[in-house]
Amino acid sequence: MAQYDVVIIGGGPGGYNAAIRAGQLGLKVAIVEGRGKLGGTCLNVGCMPSKALLHASELYAAATGPEFVKLGIEVKPKLNLPQMMAQKAESVEALTKGVEFLMKKNKVDYVKGWGRIEGAGKVVVKAEDGSETTLETKNIVIATGSEPTPLPGVTIDNKRIVDSTGALSLPEVPKHLIVVGAGVIGLELGSVWKRLGAEVTVVEYLDRILPGTDTEVANAFQKILTKQGFKFQLGAKVTGATASAKGVKLGFEPVAGGDAQTIEADYVLVAIGRRPYTQGLGLETVGITPDKRGMIANDHFKTGVAGVWVIGDVTSGPMLAHKAEDEGVACIELIAGKAGHVNYGIIPGVVYTSPEVATVGQTEDDLKAAGVAYKIGKFPFLANSRAKINHETDGFVKILADAKTDRILGAHAVGPNVGDMIAEVCVAMEFGGASEDIARTCHPHPTRSEAIRQAAMGVEGWTMQA
């Protein structure tokens, strides 16, 4: 029976980064993954394949739309969807092999199969051929991630009615795609197919898109998407969906009351969120009971059962790959007797559409609800020289700072490349920085990042370029 310091169940960003850190710290570690490939949802059917399609579809839209013409580039592109899907698969395969190499490099045992806990310190791994191996360990880290949340009354067949995984591999460009859910996943995948030629209608239960995001940013982003051709049915409750060989009929009714409606499409994407994945994990053998959402509670990654830890989507906090990664590192450092910590107030979120949406820290809605006195600095990309010269002027940057101390409380943006730019604000916030710290830091010109600086200047009312 193999003996380990740590056995990690789940090979996603939380699990594989935890394994790497454990190897670096000299712990004997094994990682258990049932997919046959490391990387979890993120690398295999989430972050990475969606970004591959987002990038490809952006280039296609630039070539077929007015963008190339404006730049004096005249082409007649033809969509080769099978090749677009093939390059996506190639990229994903390279990434998963890269993670497997990192396991070898850091002396991590990669055990293929579905892991389940069978009492304290024991993980049984069932391989594809049905054989079972028992791993004995001092510590078990649960990093099993999440799965798409089903919608009552709607059966996902991943043919006509698809989840996020199915939407990554549609066999054709839909004439009409209905997206149920106006969150990050729905808007990203909807934008892929919109750029490739589909009509896209977003049906959302709430009266706004991107719930939890700063309201001003979300509203501005919705206007941009509408300008791009998106249609929205907000405040709408889906009542059912009927699929046929040629399409889907989706029924919904206004949440506020009113007549029921039916719309037809070639495909329906259900993207109403994700839920923790704990199926067959054997939690009951160690006395762990998830809450009604399936979430496993934690106290500094401890489950309450000695030697059993939990990180990532399967526990509290935002379901983000980089959050899981930070938790994996901190959890292992605690196991190794070091100090492990995650600052949950500074976890950025990004919507990788075009333009992007990026956010970190508290929103204006949060600050108003808490009664915190704050100042705002805003700067539009219309006034940013690089954005203007590149014809990408939609959006703005907003920085929120404490009215008394000037400490940065949050930053929210919609615009070109803001997903990369938000990291600057994260660093400033991690060091307790003030808006003036960013405002007085020299930024290269001409870059989009100057919009961050100008917004920071705006907190004290001395924006210079707008």
Side-chain angles (χ1 to χ4, degrees), residues 44-392:
N44 290 282
V45 291
C47 323
M48 297 308 166
S50 66
K51 302 312 163 286
L53 292 181
L54 283 160
H55 175 63
S57 65
E58 283 176 20
L59 294 177
Y60 178 74
T64 55
E67 188 173 342
F68 270 23
V69 175
K70 180 77 173 178
L71 297 174
I73 304 170
E74 296 183 5
V75 294
K76 292 183 178 179
K78 179 182 177 182
L79 177 63
N80 183 340
L81 188 60
Q83 173 56 28
M84 190 176 286
M85 292 297 174
Q87 62 85 30
K88 173 198 70 174
E90 288 169 9
S91 298
V92 168
E93 183 70 14
L95 287 169
T96 56
K97 285 182 177 178
V99 174
E100 195 165 337
F101 165 75
L102 290 172
M103 296 303 101
K104 294 177 182 176
K105 179 183 176 183
N106 291 281
K107 298 181 173 59
V108 177
D109 288 346
Y110 170 25
V111 185
K112 294 185 179 182
W114 295 100
R116 71 177 186 274
I117 301 169
E118 286 222 343
K122 284 188 180 179
V123 175
V124 175
V125 184
K126 187 173 184 178
E128 191 176 2
D129 63 6
S131 62
E132 293 189 342
T133 304
T134 299
L135 311 178
E136 199 165 81
T137 181
K138 297 173 186 174
N139 296 279
I140 298 169
V141 177
I142 300 169
T144 46
S146 60
E147 62 182 351
T149 301
L151 180 62
V154 176
T155 301
I156 294 172
D157 58 15
N158 272 325
K159 293 178 181 177
R160 289 290 172 181
I161 303 175
V162 301
D163 58 17
S164 56
T165 301
L168 290 167
S169 302
L170 295 181
E172 61 185 351
V173 177
K175 292 183 179 66
H176 185 197
L177 172 67
I178 297 172
V179 178
V180 181
V184 175
I185 295 171
L187 296 180
E188 286 188 355
L189 292 176
S191 70
V192 166
W193 295 107
K194 178 73 186 71
R195 286 194 287 264
L196 296 180
E199 177 188 344
V200 176
T201 301
V202 180
V203 179
E204 167 60 48
Y205 182 84
L206 299 177
D207 61 359
R208 54 162 292 172
I209 70 170
L210 294 180
T213 305
D214 185 89
T215 299
E216 183 183 16
V217 168
N219 289 341
F221 184 48
Q222 185 183 337
K223 290 178 182 176
I224 293 169
L225 292 178
T226 300
K227 189 169 66 173
Q228 292 177 2
F230 276 74
K231 296 178 181 177
F232 292 92
Q233 290 282 353
L234 303 180
K237 179 183 179 182
V238 172
T239 55
T242 304
S244 67
K246 294 184 178 180
V248 186
K249 292 183 179 180
L250 184 89
F252 68 91
E253 58 189 23
V255 174
D259 296 335
Q261 300 180 47
T262 301
I263 47 178
E264 297 185 25
D266 303 85
Y267 297 89
V268 169
L269 162 60
V270 177
I272 60 170
R274 298 182 65 82
R275 64 182 182 182
Y277 184 79
T278 58
Q279 184 179 342
L281 192 52
L283 298 175
E284 68 282 354
T285 67
V286 287
I288 295 175
T289 304
D291 67 16
K292 61 183 180 181
R293 299 167 298 166
M295 202 79 73
I296 300 172
N298 83 89
D299 178 11
H300 291 85
F301 323 116
K302 297 177 182 178
T303 62
V305 175
V308 183
W309 307 71
V310 63
I311 60 171
D313 288 3
V314 78
T315 191
S316 56
M319 290 185 174
L320 297 168
H322 44 282
K323 173 259 195 184
E325 178 179 340
D326 275 15
E327 287 184 333
V329 171
C331 177
I332 293 299
E333 288 176 345
L334 288 171
I335 288 172
K338 296 180 175 292
H341 174 68
V342 175
N343 186 344
Y344 290 97
I346 312 180
I347 296 178
V350 181
V351 187
Y352 294 93
T353 44
S354 181
E356 294 179 344
V357 176
T359 181
V360 66
Q362 298 177 84
T363 65
E364 271 202 80
D365 313 75
D366 296 331
L367 297 175
K368 287 175 182 176
V372 175
Y374 63 94
K375 290 183 178 181
I376 305 174
K378 282 201 298 187
F379 188 79
F381 279 101
L382 184 63
N384 175 266
S385 57
R386 182 64 184 274
K388 198 159 189 173
I389 212 76
N390 286 7
H391 310 291
E392 47 187 21

Side-chain angles (χ1 to χ4, degrees), residues 439-459:
R440 295 194 180 277
T441 299
C442 189
H443 285 58
H445 174 78
T447 63
R448 303 172 189 90
S449 71
E450 290 175 283
I452 295 274
R453 185 186 191 188
Q454 293 291 323
M457 289 175 171
V459 172

Side-chain angles (χ1 to χ4, degrees), residues 380-410:
F381 279 101
L382 184 63
N384 175 266
S385 57
R386 182 64 184 274
K388 198 159 189 173
I389 212 76
N390 286 7
H391 310 291
E392 47 187 21
T393 54
D394 284 331
F396 61 91
V397 175
K398 176 166 70 172
I399 290 181
L400 307 172
D402 187 280
K404 292 181 180 178
T405 66
D406 192 36
R407 184 170 181 165
I408 301 169
L409 302 175

